[in-house]
């Protein structure tokens, strides 16, 4: 048999590897309905344990991004309301969905991946004048209406001009502990006081942000600002890129190592995650070496192979006298 050309072999292997990667990406696209189907988490805002934890979202994790089209986003308020159809729903270690969204709808900004805490919905409205001025309520540039009152599904807030709500397990069914040292004065819980929304949408919060929601709506919040449009407003449905699905821990660290620009890099990755990544990569490299001899032994000890070898030996014995 002629020796194979090493260049041809290399090209063939590269094509096969590229094809396999392409098939994996296509499979994830078919599963999630979005492209790209994965995002790398850069910040520690969703961390539950400083040492990292499988099941919650840590910096350096890969997260599947599901297309939000046609899917309902379940909020923390809805998932903790015993009277709601989505009561008990959890994602990444806490009640409610985690969403990926653009800051104020700006595609050039780095998307944020945080939990949907509540959704403010329009109740009563009135028409604005030709200049967009309102005699009452807040003008919404999208609907071109003056919004007078609001509802929050999963809570007792209904037809309210200002939002007063405390997730203390009493005023709202769900209790959201801010994990703030209250110096012995009792629990600090997520609370909204006389808050008037700018427009309808989701209020979002990183699990590790101690009740400082992105929109600056809660009492303990300073909010997150966009570089070009100021404080982030409630997340409109049009701004949502996807709903967070399963996590693939640690593998995103490789991308963070080589990232530049405004990325924090690996500065917020939990220390043990590097060890887990090394163990994972080492296991993947060593596994074929360990599995190959075991697989060969199992194959050679199978009845089919033994029978085939016996028949080959018998054929050889029978043919040998004829050849002589």
């Amino acid at each position: 048999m002629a020796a194979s050309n090493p260049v041809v072999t290399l090209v063939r292997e590269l094509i096969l590897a590229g094809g396999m990667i392409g098939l994996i990406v296509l499979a994830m696209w078919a599963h999630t309905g979005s492209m790209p189907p994965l995002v790398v988490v850069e910040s520690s805002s969703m961390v539950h344990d400083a040492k990292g934890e499988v099941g919650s979202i840590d910096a350096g994790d890969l997260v599947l991004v599901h297309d939000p089209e046609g899917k309902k986003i379940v909020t923390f308020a809805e998932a903790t309301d015993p009277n709601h159809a989505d009561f008990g729903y959890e994602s990444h270690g806490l009640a409610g969905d985690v969403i990926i969204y653009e800051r104020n709808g700006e595609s050039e900004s780095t998307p944020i991946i945080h939990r949907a805490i509540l959704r403010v919905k329009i109740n009563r409205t009135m028409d604005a004048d030709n200049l967009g001025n309102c005699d009452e309520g807040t003008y919404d540039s999208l609907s071109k209406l003056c919004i007078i009152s609001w509802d929050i599904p999963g809570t007792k807030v209904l037809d309210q001009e200002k939002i007063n709500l405390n997730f203390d397990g009493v005023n709202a069914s769900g209790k959201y502990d801010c994990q703030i040292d209250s110096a012995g004065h009792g629990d600090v819980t997520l609370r909204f006081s006389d808050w008037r929304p700018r427009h309808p949408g989701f209020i979002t919060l990183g699990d590790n942000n101690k009740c400082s929601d992105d929109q600056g709506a809660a009492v303990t919040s300073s909010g997150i600002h966009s570089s070009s449009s100021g404080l982030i407003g409630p997340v409109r449905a049009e701004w949502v890129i996807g709903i967070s699905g399963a996590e693939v821990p640690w593998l995103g660290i490789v991308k963070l190592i080589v990232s530049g620009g405004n990325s924090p890099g690996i500065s917020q990755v939990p220390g043990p995650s590097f060890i887990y990544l090394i163990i994972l990569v080492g296991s993947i490299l060593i596994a074929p070496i360990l599995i190959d001899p075991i697989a060969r032994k199992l194959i050679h000890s199978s009845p089919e192979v033994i029978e085939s070898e016996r028949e080959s030996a018998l054929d050889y014995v029978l043919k040998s006298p004829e050849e002589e």
Side-chain angles (χ1 to χ4, degrees):
M1 182 181 294
S4 60
N5 189 317
V7 176
V8 173
T9 302
L10 176 62
V11 171
R12 183 174 65 246
E13 295 297 328
L14 289 174
I15 292 173
L16 288 173
M20 291 179 65
I21 293 172
L23 287 174
I24 292 172
V25 172
L26 287 174
M28 289 191 294
W29 179 32
H31 174 64
T32 63
S34 64
M35 183 61 73
L38 288 168
V39 295
V40 179
V41 180
E42 296 184 349
S43 80
S44 59
S45 62
M46 289 294 291
V47 168
H48 286 197
D49 189 323
K51 296 181 179 180
E53 180 182 57
V54 176
S56 62
I57 300 176
D58 302 324
D61 287 350
L62 293 173
V63 176
L64 288 175
V65 181
H66 290 272
D67 185 0
E69 188 70 28
K71 294 184 176 66
K72 179 186 177 183
I73 296 173
V74 180
T75 66
F76 176 87
E78 293 167 333
T80 54
D81 177 14
N83 298 316
H84 198 277
D86 295 306
F87 175 67
Y89 173 81
E90 288 192 358
S91 175
H92 298 290
L94 202 62
D97 274 318
V98 175
I99 61 175
I100 302 98
Y101 70 92
E102 296 172 340
R103 309 178 189 214
N104 289 338
E106 300 166 0
S107 58
E108 66 275 9
S109 298
T110 302
I112 294 176
I113 176 168
H114 280 171
R115 192 172 304 278
I117 298 298
L118 57 85
R119 179 171 69 249
V120 284
K121 297 179 65 177
I122 298 173
N123 188 304
R124 286 184 290 124
T125 64
M126 65 181 298
D127 292 331
D129 64 22
N130 294 333
L131 299 176
N133 297 317
C134 298
D135 292 332
E136 292 183 64
T138 303
Y139 179 71
D140 178 26
S141 59
L142 190 63
S143 64
K144 309 297 183 183
L145 294 171
C146 298
I147 305 172
I148 299 174
S149 65
W150 307 89
D151 298 340
I152 299 180
T155 73
K156 299 174 183 177
V157 175
L158 180 66
D159 194 17
Q160 298 295 311
E161 295 182 10
K162 296 180 180 179
I163 307 300
N164 288 282
L165 180 64
N166 191 350
F167 283 95
D168 58 359
V170 179
N171 292 279
S173 298
K175 182 176 181 179
Y176 196 104
D177 186 356
C178 295
Q179 300 178 348
I180 297 174
D181 184 5
S182 56
H185 297 295
D187 293 335
V188 177
T189 52
L190 181 61
R191 182 166 63 92
F192 303 84
S193 179
D194 290 336
W195 173 57
R196 193 187 295 273
R198 288 159 48 181
H199 55 249
F202 295 96
I203 298 303
T204 53
L205 171 62
D207 293 353
N208 191 37
N209 282 357
K210 303 184 185 300
C211 292
S212 181
D213 67 277
D214 304 344
Q215 291 72 29
V219 173
T220 54
S221 176
S222 56
I224 295 177
H225 290 72
S226 166
S227 58
S228 58
S229 58
L231 182 67
I232 293 175
V235 180
R236 295 186 187 272
E238 297 81 6
W239 302 351
V240 178
I241 298 171
I243 302 172
S244 174
E247 62 160 331
V248 183
W250 318 312
L251 292 183
I253 294 175
V254 178
K255 189 260 186 184
L256 295 182
I257 291 174
V258 299
S259 62
N262 296 324
S263 171
I266 59 174
S267 62
Q268 299 186 37
V269 176
S273 293
F274 294 99
I275 299 174
Y276 299 145
L277 176 63
I278 293 171
I279 293 173
L280 177 62
V281 173
S283 300
I284 293 173
L285 294 175
I286 294 173
I289 300 174
L290 299 177
I291 293 173
D292 183 66
I294 298 174
R296 288 177 180 273
K297 185 176 181 180
L298 290 174
I299 291 172
H300 285 299
S301 62
S302 66
E304 293 82 1
V305 173
I306 293 173
E307 179 64 21
S308 176
E309 290 177 347
R310 189 187 68 80
E311 291 177 356
S312 297
L314 182 60
D315 289 343
Y316 177 78
V317 171
L318 294 175
K319 289 180 180 179
S320 294
E322 296 177 1
E323 293 175 355
E324 294 176 358

